[in-house]
Amino acid sequence: MHASVVTCGSEYFRAMLEHTMVESGSRSFEMHEVQPRVLERVVEWLYSGELGEISDAAEGLALLEGSRFLGVERLEAQCVAWLCAHVEASSCVAVWAEASRLGCGVVAERALLVVGRRLAAVAGEAEFLGLRREALLELVRSEGLAVRSERAVYEAVMGWVRHDVASRKACWARCLVRCGWRCCLWSTF
């Protein structure tokens, strides 16, 4: 890799090559924070400026995280655009959760829009059923969750509870109350 190419496009590499490696006298470094395939894709992008093929949302999110860590802002913007254009019902909950974790509001909002449009289908997906209680509450209470009826949200929450009644039964009423359904506490399992 040529130092001039990577330092022009990456804040991380610029800092490392101009300061850290000069001070230590080393010409090599180890990177554990970024997956090897993601690092390879970022370096390819630094040389070409082309995003290339992204196979799925998980790869897009990994590349987004890597570009953010390495301070490659133009690649980050391309990843955000790709993710927003490719959020699907089958991955929207996972995309929302990961984009929220990364602090990428634009992608999280787009994923939330898809969740709202397809909530009945999404509520049966493994990613939705596997949400932690706190994440479920954050999702269903979000201002950006636009659904056709509150009943759909109620059914989704109850499906989440039924998925693991043994561990979730104790918190189902609290989930409904925190979501604003004080009058719906009579549901059966």
PDB file of all heavy atoms in Angstrom, residues 32-48:
ATOM      1  N   HIS A  32      -6.557  -4.543  14.684  1.00  0.00           N
ATOM      2  CA  HIS A  32      -7.531  -5.518  15.181  1.00  0.00           C
ATOM      3  C   HIS A  32      -8.949  -4.956  15.178  1.00  0.00           C
ATOM      4  O   HIS A  32      -9.896  -5.706  15.333  1.00  0.00           O
ATOM      5  CB  HIS A  32      -7.163  -5.949  16.608  1.00  0.00           C
ATOM      6  CG  HIS A  32      -5.786  -6.528  16.691  1.00  0.00           C
ATOM      7  ND1 HIS A  32      -5.486  -7.798  16.267  1.00  0.00           N
ATOM      8  CD2 HIS A  32      -4.618  -5.989  17.139  1.00  0.00           C
ATOM      9  CE1 HIS A  32      -4.204  -8.029  16.448  1.00  0.00           C
ATOM     10  NE2 HIS A  32      -3.652  -6.955  16.981  1.00  0.00           N
ATOM     11  N   GLU A  33      -9.087  -3.656  15.003  1.00  0.00           N
ATOM     12  CA  GLU A  33     -10.393  -3.004  15.107  1.00  0.00           C
ATOM     13  C   GLU A  33     -11.264  -3.179  13.866  1.00  0.00           C
ATOM     14  O   GLU A  33     -12.476  -3.000  13.935  1.00  0.00           O
ATOM     15  CB  GLU A  33     -10.227  -1.499  15.383  1.00  0.00           C
ATOM     16  CG  GLU A  33      -9.499  -1.178  16.656  1.00  0.00           C
ATOM     17  CD  GLU A  33      -7.981  -1.188  16.502  1.00  0.00           C
ATOM     18  OE1 GLU A  33      -7.474  -1.456  15.399  1.00  0.00           O
ATOM     19  OE2 GLU A  33      -7.311  -0.925  17.505  1.00  0.00           O
ATOM     20  N   VAL A  34     -10.666  -3.498  12.731  1.00  0.00           N
ATOM     21  CA  VAL A  34     -11.399  -3.608  11.471  1.00  0.00           C
ATOM     22  C   VAL A  34     -11.175  -5.006  10.899  1.00  0.00           C
ATOM     23  O   VAL A  34     -10.042  -5.489  10.853  1.00  0.00           O
ATOM     24  CB  VAL A  34     -10.922  -2.531  10.466  1.00  0.00           C
ATOM     25  CG1 VAL A  34     -11.629  -2.663   9.130  1.00  0.00           C
ATOM     26  CG2 VAL A  34     -11.134  -1.137  11.041  1.00  0.00           C
ATOM     27  N   GLN A  35     -12.250  -5.630  10.453  1.00  0.00           N
ATOM     28  CA  GLN A  35     -12.161  -6.963   9.859  1.00  0.00           C
ATOM     29  C   GLN A  35     -11.261  -6.918   8.628  1.00  0.00           C
ATOM     30  O   GLN A  35     -11.285  -5.948   7.863  1.00  0.00           O
ATOM     31  CB  GLN A  35     -13.548  -7.456   9.446  1.00  0.00           C
ATOM     32  CG  GLN A  35     -14.547  -7.545  10.560  1.00  0.00           C
ATOM     33  CD  GLN A  35     -15.961  -7.739  10.010  1.00  0.00           C
ATOM     34  OE1 GLN A  35     -16.179  -8.032   8.840  1.00  0.00           O
ATOM     35  NE2 GLN A  35     -16.939  -7.555  10.884  1.00  0.00           N
ATOM     36  N   PRO A  36     -10.469  -7.970   8.402  1.00  0.00           N
ATOM     37  CA  PRO A  36      -9.542  -7.964   7.262  1.00  0.00           C
ATOM     38  C   PRO A  36     -10.219  -7.687   5.913  1.00  0.00           C
ATOM     39  O   PRO A  36      -9.710  -6.907   5.108  1.00  0.00           O
ATOM     40  CB  PRO A  36      -8.930  -9.365   7.287  1.00  0.00           C
ATOM     41  CG  PRO A  36      -9.043  -9.791   8.712  1.00  0.00           C
ATOM     42  CD  PRO A  36     -10.307  -9.172   9.230  1.00  0.00           C
ATOM     43  N   ARG A  37     -11.368  -8.315   5.654  1.00  0.00           N
ATOM     44  CA  ARG A  37     -12.054  -8.093   4.373  1.00  0.00           C
ATOM     45  C   ARG A  37     -12.538  -6.645   4.252  1.00  0.00           C
ATOM     46  O   ARG A  37     -12.480  -6.058   3.178  1.00  0.00           O
ATOM     47  CB  ARG A  37     -13.233  -9.069   4.224  1.00  0.00           C
ATOM     48  CG  ARG A  37     -14.033  -8.881   2.964  1.00  0.00           C
ATOM     49  CD  ARG A  37     -13.208  -9.154   1.692  1.00  0.00           C
ATOM     50  NE  ARG A  37     -14.008  -8.848   0.520  1.00  0.00           N
ATOM     51  CZ  ARG A  37     -13.599  -8.128  -0.512  1.00  0.00           C
ATOM     52  NH1 ARG A  37     -12.370  -7.663  -0.549  1.00  0.00           N
ATOM     53  NH2 ARG A  37     -14.397  -7.884  -1.526  1.00  0.00           N
ATOM     54  N   VAL A  38     -12.970  -6.063   5.357  1.00  0.00           N
ATOM     55  CA  VAL A  38     -13.413  -4.666   5.335  1.00  0.00           C
ATOM     56  C   VAL A  38     -12.212  -3.753   5.074  1.00  0.00           C
ATOM     57  O   VAL A  38     -12.297  -2.825   4.253  1.00  0.00           O
ATOM     58  CB  VAL A  38     -14.125  -4.286   6.652  1.00  0.00           C
ATOM     59  CG1 VAL A  38     -14.380  -2.794   6.726  1.00  0.00           C
ATOM     60  CG2 VAL A  38     -15.426  -5.075   6.798  1.00  0.00           C
ATOM     61  N   LEU A  39     -11.103  -4.013   5.718  1.00  0.00           N
ATOM     62  CA  LEU A  39      -9.890  -3.214   5.498  1.00  0.00           C
ATOM     63  C   LEU A  39      -9.466  -3.301   4.028  1.00  0.00           C
ATOM     64  O   LEU A  39      -9.120  -2.287   3.406  1.00  0.00           O
ATOM     65  CB  LEU A  39      -8.758  -3.683   6.410  1.00  0.00           C
ATOM     66  CG  LEU A  39      -7.432  -2.939   6.270  1.00  0.00           C
ATOM     67  CD1 LEU A  39      -7.599  -1.455   6.557  1.00  0.00           C
ATOM     68  CD2 LEU A  39      -6.392  -3.552   7.206  1.00  0.00           C
ATOM     69  N   GLU A  40      -9.532  -4.496   3.467  1.00  0.00           N
ATOM     70  CA  GLU A  40      -9.193  -4.682   2.058  1.00  0.00           C
ATOM     71  C   GLU A  40     -10.105  -3.848   1.162  1.00  0.00           C
ATOM     72  O   GLU A  40      -9.637  -3.183   0.233  1.00  0.00           O
ATOM     73  CB  GLU A  40      -9.331  -6.169   1.717  1.00  0.00           C
ATOM     74  CG  GLU A  40      -8.967  -6.539   0.298  1.00  0.00           C
ATOM     75  CD  GLU A  40      -9.143  -8.037   0.063  1.00  0.00           C
ATOM     76  OE1 GLU A  40      -8.818  -8.840   0.950  1.00  0.00           O
ATOM     77  OE2 GLU A  40      -9.631  -8.373  -1.032  1.00  0.00           O
ATOM     78  N   ARG A  41     -11.404  -3.857   1.456  1.00  0.00           N
ATOM     79  CA  ARG A  41     -12.372  -3.082   0.665  1.00  0.00           C
ATOM     80  C   ARG A  41     -12.108  -1.576   0.792  1.00  0.00           C
ATOM     81  O   ARG A  41     -12.225  -0.838  -0.191  1.00  0.00           O
ATOM     82  CB  ARG A  41     -13.809  -3.377   1.108  1.00  0.00           C
ATOM     83  CG  ARG A  41     -14.332  -4.757   0.820  1.00  0.00           C
ATOM     84  CD  ARG A  41     -14.683  -4.986  -0.642  1.00  0.00           C
ATOM     85  NE  ARG A  41     -15.554  -4.012  -1.240  1.00  0.00           N
ATOM     86  CZ  ARG A  41     -16.883  -4.082  -1.323  1.00  0.00           C
ATOM     87  NH1 ARG A  41     -17.509  -5.122  -0.814  1.00  0.00           N
ATOM     88  NH2 ARG A  41     -17.578  -3.135  -1.916  1.00  0.00           N
ATOM     89  N   VAL A  42     -11.777  -1.124   1.999  1.00  0.00           N
ATOM     90  CA  VAL A  42     -11.496   0.300   2.203  1.00  0.00           C
ATOM     91  C   VAL A  42     -10.256   0.708   1.404  1.00  0.00           C
ATOM     92  O   VAL A  42     -10.254   1.743   0.718  1.00  0.00           O
ATOM     93  CB  VAL A  42     -11.325   0.636   3.705  1.00  0.00           C
ATOM     94  CG1 VAL A  42     -10.801   2.057   3.894  1.00  0.00           C
ATOM     95  CG2 VAL A  42     -12.641   0.445   4.451  1.00  0.00           C
ATOM     96  N   VAL A  43      -9.209  -0.096   1.464  1.00  0.00           N
ATOM     97  CA  VAL A  43      -7.982   0.220   0.715  1.00  0.00           C
ATOM     98  C   VAL A  43      -8.269   0.209  -0.786  1.00  0.00           C
ATOM     99  O   VAL A  43      -7.807   1.100  -1.513  1.00  0.00           O
ATOM    100  CB  VAL A  43      -6.834  -0.741   1.091  1.00  0.00           C
ATOM    101  CG1 VAL A  43      -5.627  -0.548   0.162  1.00  0.00           C
ATOM    102  CG2 VAL A  43      -6.412  -0.519   2.542  1.00  0.00           C
ATOM    103  N   GLU A  44      -9.048  -0.765  -1.264  1.00  0.00           N
ATOM    104  CA  GLU A  44      -9.438  -0.785  -2.678  1.00  0.00           C
ATOM    105  C   GLU A  44     -10.161   0.513  -3.044  1.00  0.00           C
ATOM    106  O   GLU A  44      -9.901   1.088  -4.103  1.00  0.00           O
ATOM    107  CB  GLU A  44     -10.357  -1.983  -2.969  1.00  0.00           C
ATOM    108  CG  GLU A  44      -9.662  -3.312  -2.982  1.00  0.00           C
ATOM    109  CD  GLU A  44     -10.637  -4.484  -3.086  1.00  0.00           C
ATOM    110  OE1 GLU A  44     -11.871  -4.271  -3.209  1.00  0.00           O
ATOM    111  OE2 GLU A  44     -10.165  -5.633  -3.028  1.00  0.00           O
ATOM    112  N   TRP A  45     -11.056   0.959  -2.158  1.00  0.00           N
ATOM    113  CA  TRP A  45     -11.791   2.186  -2.417  1.00  0.00           C
ATOM    114  C   TRP A  45     -10.846   3.392  -2.444  1.00  0.00           C
ATOM    115  O   TRP A  45     -11.010   4.291  -3.276  1.00  0.00           O
ATOM    116  CB  TRP A  45     -12.884   2.403  -1.374  1.00  0.00           C
ATOM    117  CG  TRP A  45     -13.730   3.592  -1.693  1.00  0.00           C
ATOM    118  CD1 TRP A  45     -14.857   3.609  -2.453  1.00  0.00           C
ATOM    119  CD2 TRP A  45     -13.465   4.948  -1.317  1.00  0.00           C
ATOM    120  NE1 TRP A  45     -15.318   4.903  -2.570  1.00  0.00           N
ATOM    121  CE2 TRP A  45     -14.482   5.742  -1.881  1.00  0.00           C
ATOM    122  CE3 TRP A  45     -12.478   5.559  -0.570  1.00  0.00           C
ATOM    123  CZ2 TRP A  45     -14.531   7.115  -1.711  1.00  0.00           C
ATOM    124  CZ3 TRP A  45     -12.517   6.939  -0.405  1.00  0.00           C
ATOM    125  CH2 TRP A  45     -13.540   7.702  -0.966  1.00  0.00           C
ATOM    126  N   LEU A  46      -9.874   3.420  -1.536  1.00  0.00           N
ATOM    127  CA  LEU A  46      -8.924   4.531  -1.506  1.00  0.00           C
ATOM    128  C   LEU A  46      -8.162   4.652  -2.826  1.00  0.00           C
ATOM    129  O   LEU A  46      -7.832   5.757  -3.272  1.00  0.00           O
ATOM    130  CB  LEU A  46      -7.953   4.387  -0.339  1.00  0.00           C
ATOM    131  CG  LEU A  46      -8.556   4.636   1.045  1.00  0.00           C
ATOM    132  CD1 LEU A  46      -7.598   4.187   2.142  1.00  0.00           C
ATOM    133  CD2 LEU A  46      -8.933   6.087   1.219  1.00  0.00           C
ATOM    134  N   TYR A  47      -7.898   3.524  -3.464  1.00  0.00           N
ATOM    135  CA  TYR A  47      -7.207   3.542  -4.756  1.00  0.00           C
ATOM    136  C   TYR A  47      -8.147   3.879  -5.914  1.00  0.00           C
ATOM    137  O   TYR A  47      -7.762   4.581  -6.836  1.00  0.00           O
ATOM    138  CB  TYR A  47      -6.532   2.190  -5.028  1.00  0.00           C
ATOM    139  CG  TYR A  47      -5.179   2.070  -4.387  1.00  0.00           C
ATOM    140  CD1 TYR A  47      -5.038   1.591  -3.096  1.00  0.00           C
ATOM    141  CD2 TYR A  47      -4.026   2.450  -5.075  1.00  0.00           C
ATOM    142  CE1 TYR A  47      -3.797   1.480  -2.498  1.00  0.00           C
ATOM    143  CE2 TYR A  47      -2.773   2.355  -4.488  1.00  0.00           C
ATOM    144  CZ  TYR A  47      -2.664   1.864  -3.196  1.00  0.00           C
ATOM    145  OH  TYR A  47      -1.436   1.769  -2.607  1.00  0.00           O
ATOM    146  N   SER A  48      -9.368   3.368  -5.873  1.00  0.00           N
ATOM    147  CA  SER A  48     -10.254   3.490  -7.027  1.00  0.00           C
ATOM    148  C   SER A  48     -11.369   4.526  -6.888  1.00  0.00           C
ATOM    149  O   SER A  48     -11.861   5.040  -7.892  1.00  0.00           O
ATOM    150  CB  SER A  48     -10.904   2.135  -7.323  1.00  0.00           C
ATOM    151  OG  SER A  48     -11.867   1.832  -6.313  1.00  0.00           O
TER     152      SER A  48
END
